[in-house]
Amino acid sequence: MATNPYTHQTRAQLYTAAQNRAAKLLDSPHSDTGHLLLALAAQLHTARMATRSPGGELKGAGTLLDAYADRLELLQRNARHEVLHDAADAVLGNRAERWLRPGYYEGSPYQRGIESDAGLREVLGELELLRKR
């Protein structure tokens, strides 16, 4: 059995590999696999963005807080995204996405859940009520 060459790659590397492989598969008899890879790559996209190093900003006049504040905010938002999707999938299964983003409106459970820790707690509370039904 062949060794999996992707086992030790970072999420950013997996994102790039999935995008590249999907591009090769979309116009082939394996286009369904290409679409699957694109969907997976979209889930990894925010992780890729969060891995960019702000260290270069340290060469300017900014402080460590200035250099890393945006990255910290993005990583926290990504963590809330992961928790929210995992919890919704556990409670709602294939209905999770429709519940999280019904029409992608302002104030949807998804938007409230990723905006802040308080918003995430609120949405998890709503999911808990659904779970107990």
Side-chain angles (χ1 to χ4, degrees):
M1 181 175 211
T3 304
N4 185 342
Y6 305 103
T7 301
H8 299 291
Q9 288 191 342
T10 65
R11 290 178 77 171
Q13 291 168 326
L14 289 171
Y15 168 82
T16 301
Q19 289 280 69
N20 291 338
R21 185 70 179 135
K24 293 177 183 174
L25 294 173
L26 288 176
D27 290 328
S28 77
H30 304 289
S31 64
D32 60 326
T33 303
H35 287 286
L36 173 62
L37 288 170
L38 285 177
L40 289 170
Q43 293 293 318
L44 295 171
H45 177 69
T46 53
R48 179 176 178 254
M49 299 304 289
T51 58
R52 292 184 178 168
S53 174
E57 294 182 30
L58 293 177
K59 295 176 184 161
T63 65
L64 282 171
L65 181 59
D66 293 336
Y68 285 92
D70 288 343
R71 181 170 181 215
L72 175 60
E73 183 179 329
L74 181 58
L75 289 168
Q76 289 171 329
R77 187 178 177 99
N78 287 346
R80 290 189 295 267
H81 168 90
E82 294 285 333
V83 168
L84 185 58
H85 274 279
D86 285 350
D89 286 346
V91 173
L92 301 171
N94 62 1
R95 299 183 329 256
E97 193 62 28
R98 278 181 288 166
W99 184 83
L100 286 171
R101 303 177 196 227
Y104 301 92
Y105 66 87
E106 184 87 13
S108 69
Y110 177 77
Q111 183 183 17
R112 289 182 290 125
I114 65 167
E115 287 298 319
S116 68
D117 290 344
L120 177 61
R121 282 191 296 274
E122 176 185 310
V123 174
L124 290 176
E126 293 169 20
L127 279 169
E128 184 64 27
L129 292 174
L130 292 173
R131 186 176 77 89
K132 290 181 177 178
R133 285 186 186 173

